[in-house]
Amino acid sequence: MRAVLGRFKFGGRGLVVVLPYVWLMLFFVVPFLIVLKISFSDIDLAIPPYKPLWIWDGEHAPAITLNFNNYTFLFTDKLYVKALLNSLKVAFVSSMLCLLIGYPMAYGIARSRPAVRSVLLMLIVLPFWTSLLLRVYAWIGLLKANGVINNVLLHLGLIHEPLTMLYTPFAMYVGIVYSYLPFMILPLYANLEKMDWQLIEAAEDLGCRPWRAFLSITLPLSRNGVLAGSMLVFIPAVGEFVIPALLGGPNALMIGRILWDEFFSNRDWPVASAVAILMLLLLVPFMMWYQSIQAREAAASE
Amino acid sequence: MPKPTDPALKASPWTDSDAKPYVRVEKLTKSFGEFKAVDDVSLNIYQGEIFCLLGASGCGKTTLLRMLGGFEKPSSGRIFIDGEDMTGVPPYERPVNMMFQSYALFPHMTVEQNVAFGLKQDRVAKAEIRERVATMLELVKLGGFAQRKPHQLSGGQKQRVALARSLVKRPKLLLLDEPLGALDKKLREHTQFELIGLQHRLGVTFVVVTHDQEEAMTLASRIGVMDHGEIVQSGTPSEIYEFPSSKFVADFIGSVNIFEGRLIEDEPAYVRIASPELGGIIHVGHGISAASDTVVWAAVRPEKINMSTEAPTATDNVARGAVQDIAYLGDLSIYLVKLPTGKVVRVTQPNTSRHAEAITWDQQVYLSWDDSSPVVVTR
Ligand SMILES: Nc1ncnc2c1ncn2[C@@H]1O[C@H](COP(=O)(O)OP(=O)(O)OP(=O)(O)O)[C@@H](O)[C@H]1O
Ligand SMILES: [Mg+2]
């Protein structure tokens, strides 16, 4: 066996290199091609619910019919563009909120004593130990009309009627920011942890107040961490489905929701696939940007 | 912008009891937990001085300097700069600039921006900033490097940027933490003289931390020798070298032969010490303040010992031994001479003529020295 592998220059090292590619082929490229194929086919009342892309009767050359209608449809019905724009907005606002909340936290962790630091980091990743779904459901219990928050506020006499929080954009943002915060904090922390704090002392020595030292030294030097964290929140948040569906109520018009509806309610797989492809195309520039930041970061730390 | 040194400055203000120190450190202590990194240090530093803090690694030099800069809060004691109590004043409000041991250049800024940074904080007019930065870069011979980023510079160039950055604000007091640590010997010596030149032209008071005694001797107007958080002696380089106050200082500054002995004659004009280590009597030509019959140490510098093959006429300050090892250093040679008592004595001799009748290995030699050469210390 080893001899055979050896003949094909396929030793342990080759295997290690090849395995991730096999994995990517199987679980990314192949499904992607399937989705791409479906997006170009016609809807059909069958199982699966779309017409095959090519028909070959065995005699003539196979006839391939590419159907672009699904894509043109996305741009004729305003719903899709609106959902897409709204998703981008929600993802952007969520990233900014995560940044505003996450930066001070990452900064605090990076500047704490090593012993405290590992405890704090642990607390950041602790929520991952339970499922996202459970945690989102817990938020329902907190936010609903007779939920924990309203009850406490009523009890304290701060409000006289329960606030409507659940099924509002507010609840959706709370859910998204809560869930994605660790993805902002961890890359930021990784960046800030490498920071040479003597630079801050040098800045203060040159007459810079602490806040200005932060703005002119710490912030620019943590740029890559900020960008990486923002991308890690932004990219998945664009396609987020669970949180808007559970907390945002029926009016939360997100592209992930549309995708779900097209697939499972309308059973229109081709349009759903077209939506998925479009979303992917939209995110590719952001992903490439993220990649380039990562590469730069790696180069900088060498 | 270089201004001549103020002629009113006295050559050695520390000898004048009326002179007002520019920096006054009073009973300064810094503890990290139980450990005292700086222990009850009192110090006066005068305007226009280059004061060197010298000591072994970990003795608290950086900690003391960081307290002067305001980066470390003293556990007790006070610091006055120019008569003002600085104890609670943050670094950005002190008339002090610091050059860090690691330079701490801002990596995302060009050389020019690095040097301009301090001036920008003071809202100096743009045109003036440009001019002062350019002048300063010329001064440290980095005129052509203004647009480079720190990672594109060599160690010596970085060091000069750091120096320019800390000098451009024209501080009254400049703190330098091992400023030349990263340089090779040649560049180091060159830069030491550049530093002295700069200091004379700008009239800035320098406090320089170093663990290199040669560097301290070259740079300093005065040296403070530190050991375990304390300043064990401070004085001019020659005072420290010629009159060390303890075995530690004598040993730390330069090399020295130390002979343990017992005080047998204690006159105002001379003392005699019986030293079993030497196997004879050490005669010192001045009185010392120690009780008779106490244990003392006589320190004799290697270059103050004469070595010859003929027996000297005197009986004190003489020893006989065999040459054990010779190291030729070009300008001088070091001889290690083993006495019958087992003690090895270090002697240096200048190589004045090229073909001197050479003393070689295993040769019997006589060592002797003047009665003004030994320094007697009691601890
Ligand atoms: N933040 C700190 N916490 C605890 N101990 C410290 C701290 N800073 C310094 N020390 C200790 O204080 C002592 C003096 O440190 P310092 O940095 O002043 O030494 P140094 O004389 O500058 O040495 P070097 O020549 O190696 O730079 C050292 O033993 C060090 O371990
Ligand atoms: Mg140090």
Side-chain angles (χ1 to χ4, degrees):
Chain A
M1 180 68 186
R2 170 170 262 172
V4 176
L5 284 178
R7 188 136 37 95
F8 288 101
K9 294 190 191 299
F10 214 73
R13 188 208 296 240
L15 212 63
V16 168
V17 177
V18 161
L19 261 179
Y21 284 98
V22 174
W23 180 270
L24 272 179
M25 274 304 278
L26 273 182
F27 298 106
F28 181 74
V29 177
V30 172
F32 173 76
L33 290 177
I34 294 173
V35 171
L36 191 65
K37 189 192 97 178
I38 299 174
S39 77
F40 283 114
S41 54
D42 263 331
I43 189 167
D44 195 4
L45 283 176
I47 296 175
Y50 57 90
K51 289 185 178 142
L53 212 50
W54 51 76
I55 304 159
W56 190 32
D57 51 17
E59 290 167 27
H60 304 85
I64 300 178
T65 41
L66 278 189
N67 180 1
F68 287 92
N69 286 349
N70 299 320
Y71 287 96
T72 47
F73 175 67
L74 294 186
F75 289 99
T76 45
D77 192 332
K78 284 219 176 65
L79 175 77
Y80 299 101
V81 173
K82 253 174 86 180
L84 212 55
L85 290 179
N86 193 49
S87 298
L88 290 177
K89 186 191 101 185
V90 169
F92 178 76
V93 172
S94 304
S95 310
M96 288 301 108
L97 289 174
C98 278
L99 184 60
L100 283 180
I101 301 168
Y103 200 107
M105 291 173 78
Y107 186 89
I109 297 172
R111 298 225 67 169
S112 58
R113 282 181 297 119
V116 180
R117 198 182 287 178
S118 52
V119 173
L120 292 175
L121 275 177
M122 175 79 162
L123 288 176
I124 298 293
V125 288
L126 201 62
F128 288 124
W129 290 10
T130 51
S131 100
L132 173 70
L133 214 54
L134 276 182
R135 286 181 281 135
V136 174
Y137 271 112
W139 273 108
I140 296 181
L142 289 171
L143 295 170
K144 65 186 176 186
N146 59 348
V148 176
I149 294 175
N150 272 323
N151 282 344
V152 169
L153 290 179
L154 282 170
H155 189 76
L156 292 176
L158 292 174
I159 52 172
H160 300 291
E161 274 170 50
L163 300 171
T164 326
M165 289 183 289
L166 195 55
Y167 307 131
T168 62
F170 169 74
M172 182 177 69
Y173 280 118
V174 167
I176 294 180
V177 169
Y178 161 76
S179 309
Y180 285 103
L181 197 55
F183 297 101
M184 177 63 82
I185 292 178
L186 293 178
L188 263 178
Y189 164 75
N191 182 291
L192 287 171
E193 190 238 8
K194 279 182 283 175
M195 181 79 85
D196 177 6
W197 299 111
Q198 196 149 72
L199 296 178
I200 305 300
E201 288 185 344
E204 288 189 8
D205 181 64
L206 292 165
C208 203
R209 287 172 176 280
W211 177 241
R212 290 217 33 169
F214 172 79
L215 288 182
S216 49
I217 310 294
T218 316
L219 198 57
L221 285 177
S222 62
R223 206 190 96 179
N224 285 347
V226 170
L227 291 178
S230 304
M231 287 299 110
L232 275 185
V233 174
F234 181 83
I235 294 169
V238 168
E240 180 58 47
F241 161 70
V242 175
I243 300 168
L246 291 180
L247 299 177
N251 294 328
L253 194 62
M254 295 279 286
I255 200 73
R257 283 284 291 283
I258 301 277
L259 202 69
W260 171 277
D261 287 344
E262 293 295 351
F263 253 109
F264 297 101
S265 312
N266 298 352
R267 282 185 63 78
D268 191 343
W269 285 24
V271 166
S273 301
V275 170
I277 296 291
L278 193 67
M279 194 171 93
L280 200 69
L281 286 180
L282 203 75
L283 290 180
V284 162
F286 292 106
M287 290 186 198
M288 284 169 61
W289 194 25
Y290 174 68
Q291 277 308 320
S292 76
I293 296 163
Q294 289 288 305
R296 226 184 306 154
E297 186 84 319
S301 66
E302 256 165 31
Chain B
M1 66 160 291
K3 57 179 178 190
T5 316
D6 190 346
L9 287 180
K10 294 200 64 167
S12 42
W14 49 89
T15 53
D16 179 359
S17 56
D18 291 337
K20 237 182 71 195
Y22 186 68
V23 180
R24 203 165 91 233
V25 173
E26 274 181 10
K27 295 183 172 304
L28 203 62
T29 296
K30 175 76 192 178
S31 318
F32 295 110
E34 291 284 285
F35 177 74
K36 282 185 176 167
V38 171
D39 192 359
D40 196 32
V41 165
S42 294
L43 200 60
N44 285 335
I45 298 170
Y46 297 85
Q47 197 162 13
E49 266 203 86
I50 298 186
F51 191 93
C52 272
L53 285 169
L54 179 62
S57 184
C59 70
K61 306 178 297 285
T62 298
T63 310
L64 178 54
L65 204 68
R66 286 173 58 80
M67 284 194 281
L68 288 175
F71 303 110
E72 211 82 71
K73 266 207 175 64
S75 307
S76 68
R78 291 200 295 173
I79 297 169
F80 296 88
I81 295 177
D82 210 1
E84 263 182 75
D85 190 348
M86 284 286 147
T87 316
V89 178
Y92 45 89
E93 279 167 6
R94 295 194 183 203
V96 173
N97 281 133
M98 176 143 165
M99 187 180 149
F100 288 81
Q101 197 163 1
S102 59
Y103 308 146
L105 299 179
F106 306 129
H108 58 305
M109 297 184 191
T110 61
V111 166
E112 189 176 26
Q113 289 167 330
N114 261 286
V115 178
F117 188 85
L119 295 175
K120 268 198 198 142
Q121 305 311 315
D122 290 355
R123 303 185 191 287
V124 176
K126 273 223 172 70
E128 195 191 332
I129 291 184
R130 211 171 312 125
E131 192 199 306
R132 277 170 70 173
V133 169
T135 319
M136 199 34 101
L137 286 180
E138 281 308 320
L139 199 68
V140 296
K141 304 193 178 64
L142 282 175
F145 295 83
Q147 297 313 318
R148 296 248 191 127
K149 289 272 179 72
H151 68 90
Q152 297 165 316
L153 300 175
S154 74
Q157 291 165 340
K158 278 186 205 165
Q159 177 257 324
R160 280 180 283 163
V161 177
L163 186 64
R165 189 178 70 175
S166 50
L167 275 174
V168 77
K169 290 193 74 177
R170 298 173 192 163
K172 294 274 178 51
L173 176 64
L174 186 61
L175 311 173
L176 303 108
D177 195 351
E178 310 230 355
L180 313 178
L183 307 187
D184 61 65
K185 192 166 157 51
K186 197 107 192 219
L187 189 56
R188 207 179 164 107
E189 276 171 11
H190 176 72
T191 319
Q192 281 166 3
F193 288 108
E194 269 185 11
L195 266 184
I196 297 176
L198 266 175
Q199 193 268 348
H200 277 305
R201 255 179 294 167
L202 305 179
V204 182
T205 308
F206 279 18
V207 179
V208 184
V209 158
T210 174
H211 59 245
D212 177 350
Q213 52 105 1
E214 228 174 281
E215 184 167 299
M217 303 290 275
T218 314
L219 286 176
S221 60
R222 279 190 308 150
I223 296 175
V225 182
M226 284 188 81
D227 182 31
H228 288 96
E230 290 177 64
I231 294 208
V232 288
Q233 187 179 1
S234 65
T236 63
S238 64
E239 275 169 13
I240 300 250
Y241 188 79
E242 303 289 348
F243 308 105
S245 65
S246 65
K247 265 193 302 177
F248 174 82
V249 176
D251 201 27
F252 195 81
I253 309 282
S255 44
V256 73
N257 299 293
I258 295 179
F259 302 100
E260 193 179 287
R262 196 166 282 278
L263 210 57
I264 50 170
E265 262 181 72
D266 183 16
E267 300 291 327
Y270 70 94
V271 293
R272 277 157 58 88
I273 299 162
S275 171
E277 248 184 336
L278 179 72
I281 305 289
I282 298 169
H283 183 103
V284 184
H286 56 81
I288 60 163
S289 53
S292 198
D293 210 34
T294 51
V295 175
V296 294
W297 291 269
V300 189
R301 297 284 180 196
E303 74 275 12
K304 299 212 162 92
I305 299 181
N306 305 312
M307 188 170 62
S308 79
T309 46
E310 285 151 40
T313 49
T315 50
D316 290 350
N317 293 346
V318 169
R320 187 160 179 267
V323 176
Q324 194 185 32
D325 213 344
I326 306 172
Y328 175 74
L329 298 186
D331 51 348
L332 47 81
S333 292
I334 300 173
Y335 297 80
L336 297 182
V337 178
K338 191 165 184 175
L339 307 185
T341 59
K343 172 91 176 167
V344 176
V345 180
R346 191 183 167 99
V347 183
T348 53
Q349 300 270 288
N351 294 324
T352 39
S353 80
R354 202 179 289 181
H355 301 290
E357 22 71 77
I359 289 173
T360 61
W361 277 264
D362 295 329
Q363 197 167 348
Q364 289 289 324
V365 290
Y366 292 92
L367 305 179
S368 62
W369 55 85
D370 219 57
D371 67 0
S372 64
S373 297
V375 176
V376 182
V377 294
T378 53
R379 61 196 159 95

